[in-house]
Amino acid sequence: MIWESFGAAVLGLALSWVALRSLADRLPAGRAVYLTGTLGALFGAYLTHAALGPGHVLATLIGAVSVGAVTLSLLIRPRGRRLARSAAAQ
């Protein structure tokens, strides 16, 4: 389980790095992206390991990358649209 966690954290960091390289203008600060990718991958590894049990290292890492990618996708902002202030804030 320790190696699965370490592998998931490394994969989450790598996934975050790729996301920052390709979508830098649409993501928040790098620290938030790295933290989200790593924690998402660790949660995905935990979830997959709990569902499948021990002995499924490759499936656990695939689950880690999948959940990490989903959590990173929640950070992506729309392109070219500026957020308008609400009527209550004006």
Side-chain angles (χ1 to χ4, degrees):
M1 181 68 186
I2 296 294
W3 289 109
E4 289 175 356
S5 301
F6 180 71
V10 169
L11 287 173
L13 285 172
L15 193 63
S16 300
W17 181 78
V18 169
L20 274 174
R21 297 281 293 171
S22 60
L23 298 168
D25 58 330
R26 297 177 62 192
L27 288 171
R31 181 178 289 177
V33 174
Y34 283 121
L35 184 65
T36 303
T38 304
L39 290 178
L42 284 171
F43 179 69
Y46 170 73
L47 191 67
T48 308
H49 183 81
L52 298 178
H56 297 91
V57 177
L58 183 61
T60 301
L61 294 178
I62 290 171
V65 169
S66 300
V67 175
V70 168
T71 56
L72 283 174
S73 73
L74 296 174
L75 295 178
I76 299 175
R77 294 182 291 223
R79 180 177 304 190
R81 269 187 15 197
R82 297 197 56 131
L83 297 175
R85 293 182 60 167
S86 68
Q90 294 177 352

